[in-house]
């Protein structure tokens, strides 16, 4: 079990402002190096090494831009886990005409995602959402390789979600899943979408339907009385493929902070399900024109 000292030194933070992190008054300040007894710390250090190695090789322009952005976010991840970012200067990518093979980085992101998830699920972790958000970020960045498409979120201030009763948090996640199901149904019916796009939207619809049903079932097991989603939502009609893509991005992006709040304050037994959903959603939003987020699930200031 992790000690209280490690817990506070690792994740006891309340506000991230731009590229910096502000600990709560009276909490420990930033430590210089990762603690090897904390799985998330070890994984964060290994991820930094993998990002640096990938950025040191020849990359096309899109990959170079993605890795520069990822290293910037990684600095924030260090500070968000009470660690001083590495002092080594960042590498300058060498231009190349064709995309590089970033398979090693993809593997490192997968390994980090597993460790960050483990840290988020540890019942003694003080700020599980911080680690869950980092795990989701790994999934989303890996999905951008090797072509690095899509827009990336600029630096922003973020904060931990406001407290919420566990049952209310679980109901909020169920409501968000129901809204996503309805919105994706509308988006998939947009005229002009390609067959591949319709298939991708239907796959996401299946995932959201499964999450909605799982949340409903778990609420009933817990002797709660979940409120079903309404049969319709105030979603404007989509006139063309562009509107359908935008709707798919918008309804899923809107669900991210709701899932995050439930990870932070909802029943602990929902966390594995919600962390998986957070990663899948963060990865899918850029597919439809939304932003690749820096901190999926954490609300902005």
């Amino acid at each position: 079990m992790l000690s209280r000292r490690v817990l506070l030194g690792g994740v006891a933070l309340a506000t991230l402002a731009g590229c910096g992190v502000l600990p709560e008054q009276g909490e420990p300040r930033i430590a210089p190096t990762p603690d090897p007894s904390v799985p998330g710390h070890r994984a964060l250090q290994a991820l930094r090494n993998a990002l640096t190695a990938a950025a040191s090789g020849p990359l096309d322009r899109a990959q170079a831009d993605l890795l520069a952005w990822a290293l910037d976010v990684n600095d924030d991840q260090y500070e968000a886990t009470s660690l001083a970012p590495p002092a080594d200067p960042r590498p300058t990518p060498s231009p190349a005409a064709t995309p590089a093979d970033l398979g090693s980085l993809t593997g490192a992101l997968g390994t980090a995602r597993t460790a960050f998830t483990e840290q988020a699920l540890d019942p003694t972790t003080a700020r599980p959402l911080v680690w869950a958000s980092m795990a989701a970020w790994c999934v989303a960045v890996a999905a951008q390789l090797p072509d690095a498409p899509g827009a990336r979120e600029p630096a922003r201030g973020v904060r931990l979600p406001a407290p919420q009763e566990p049952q209310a948090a679980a109901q909020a996640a169920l409501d968000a899943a129901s809204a996503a199901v309805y919105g994706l149904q509308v988006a998939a019916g947009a005229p002009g979408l390609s067959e591949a796009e319709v298939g991708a939207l239907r796959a996401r619809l299946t995932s959201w339907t499964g999450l909605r049903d799982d949340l409903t079932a778990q609420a009933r097991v817990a002797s709660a009385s979940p409120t079903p989603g309404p049969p319709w939502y105030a979603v404007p009609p989509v006139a063309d493929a562009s509107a359908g893509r935008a709707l798919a991005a918008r309804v899923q992006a809107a669900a991210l902070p709701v899932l995050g709040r439930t990870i932070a304050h909802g029943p602990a037994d929902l966390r594995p399900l919600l962390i998986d959903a957070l990663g899948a959603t963060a990865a899918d939003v850029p597919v439809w024109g939304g932003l690749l987020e820096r901190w999926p699930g954490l609300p902005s200031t």
Side-chain angles (χ1 to χ4, degrees):
M1 178 176 291
L2 303 180
S3 69
R4 179 173 175 80
R5 178 188 63 78
V6 169
L7 289 174
L8 291 177
V11 289
L13 299 170
T15 304
L16 296 81
C19 293
V21 181
L22 303 177
E24 292 178 343
Q25 187 173 3
E27 290 181 343
R29 305 302 296 179
I30 291 175
T33 58
D35 187 323
S37 70
V38 182
H41 282 191
R42 294 197 306 271
L44 185 59
Q45 194 170 43
L47 177 59
R48 180 59 170 229
N49 293 338
L51 287 168
T52 300
S56 299
L59 303 164
D60 70 9
R61 176 48 53 193
Q63 291 175 331
D65 289 346
L66 175 62
L67 285 176
W69 177 86
L71 282 165
D72 184 55
V73 176
N74 188 247
D75 282 349
D76 284 358
Q77 292 171 346
Y78 266 78
E79 294 190 38
T81 51
S82 295
L83 300 172
D88 296 339
R90 295 179 185 173
T92 301
S94 303
T98 58
D101 180 2
L102 297 179
S104 294
L105 178 56
T106 300
L109 287 162
T111 300
R113 182 256 181 192
T114 299
F116 295 161
T117 299
E118 177 186 351
Q119 196 71 60
L121 295 177
D122 189 312
T124 64
T125 295
R127 297 289 187 266
L129 177 55
V130 172
W131 293 103
S133 179
M134 289 164 57
W137 181 85
C138 288
V139 176
V141 172
Q144 293 281 302
L145 303 176
D147 297 326
R152 292 173 285 277
E153 184 180 38
R156 64 167 169 120
V158 296
R159 54 188 169 78
L160 291 172
Q164 191 173 30
E165 290 297 321
Q167 186 173 338
Q171 180 65 53
L174 175 57
D175 292 343
S178 297
V181 167
Y182 185 86
L184 289 173
Q185 286 174 332
V186 175
L193 290 172
S194 69
E195 184 176 343
E197 288 175 320
V198 172
L201 286 172
R202 287 177 176 169
R204 288 299 299 151
L205 180 58
T206 298
S207 295
W208 278 107
T209 302
L211 178 63
R212 180 197 64 188
D213 294 346
D214 287 342
L215 289 171
T216 300
Q218 291 203 36
R220 288 172 177 162
V221 168
S223 299
S225 300
T227 302
W232 60 273
Y233 292 83
V235 176
V238 288
D240 53 31
S242 178
R245 296 184 197 102
L247 177 59
R250 186 168 65 251
V251 297
Q252 294 192 91
L256 285 172
V258 182
L259 298 180
R261 192 176 186 187
T262 307
I263 290 169
H265 300 302
D269 59 356
L270 295 182
R271 283 180 187 163
L273 187 68
L274 294 172
I275 291 172
D276 284 346
L278 192 72
T281 303
D284 198 60
V285 167
V287 171
W288 307 105
L291 292 175
L292 178 64
E293 293 198 10
R294 300 172 72 93
W295 288 98
L298 282 165
S300 61
T301 57

